[in-house]
Amino acid sequence: MRVLYFAWVKQHVGVAEEEVAPPPEVRDVAGLIDWLAGRSPGHAAAFANRKTIRAAVNQDFAGPDHPVTAGDEIAFFPPVTGG
């Protein structure tokens, strides 16, 4: 699973992307966030306020209950506004 981080999420985590292999019980975006938050203090800081994180799975916006599987690309980023 490829995980991409953007903006301040990337700053907290310390990398722009990483390959991860979460345990089988991680089945959705929310579970992935929970698991990632336990990987390091930077991950914990990035995901501390989950209401400020948006996700995309395979380049489509996804909510917390969206399924994730091995081979997916998941991106995490702050809310985006247009103008």
Side-chain angles (χ1 to χ4, degrees):
M1 183 178 297
R2 183 175 177 211
V3 181
L4 308 174
Y5 305 105
F6 294 94
W8 55 259
V9 182
K10 177 175 85 172
Q11 291 174 338
H12 283 299
V13 173
V15 296
E17 66 182 74
E18 59 184 338
E19 292 287 330
V20 298
E25 58 268 15
V26 173
R27 296 185 183 126
D28 57 21
V29 170
L32 180 61
I33 288 172
D34 290 341
W35 182 75
L36 288 169
R39 287 179 50 96
S40 75
H43 286 83
F47 295 108
N49 185 353
R50 295 172 188 191
K51 292 181 180 184
T52 62
I53 298 283
R54 299 295 178 261
V57 177
N58 299 321
Q59 300 182 4
D60 289 323
F61 286 109
D65 59 346
H66 192 285
V68 296
T69 60
D72 283 344
E73 177 188 87
I74 296 90
F76 293 107
F77 46 90
V80 179
T81 60

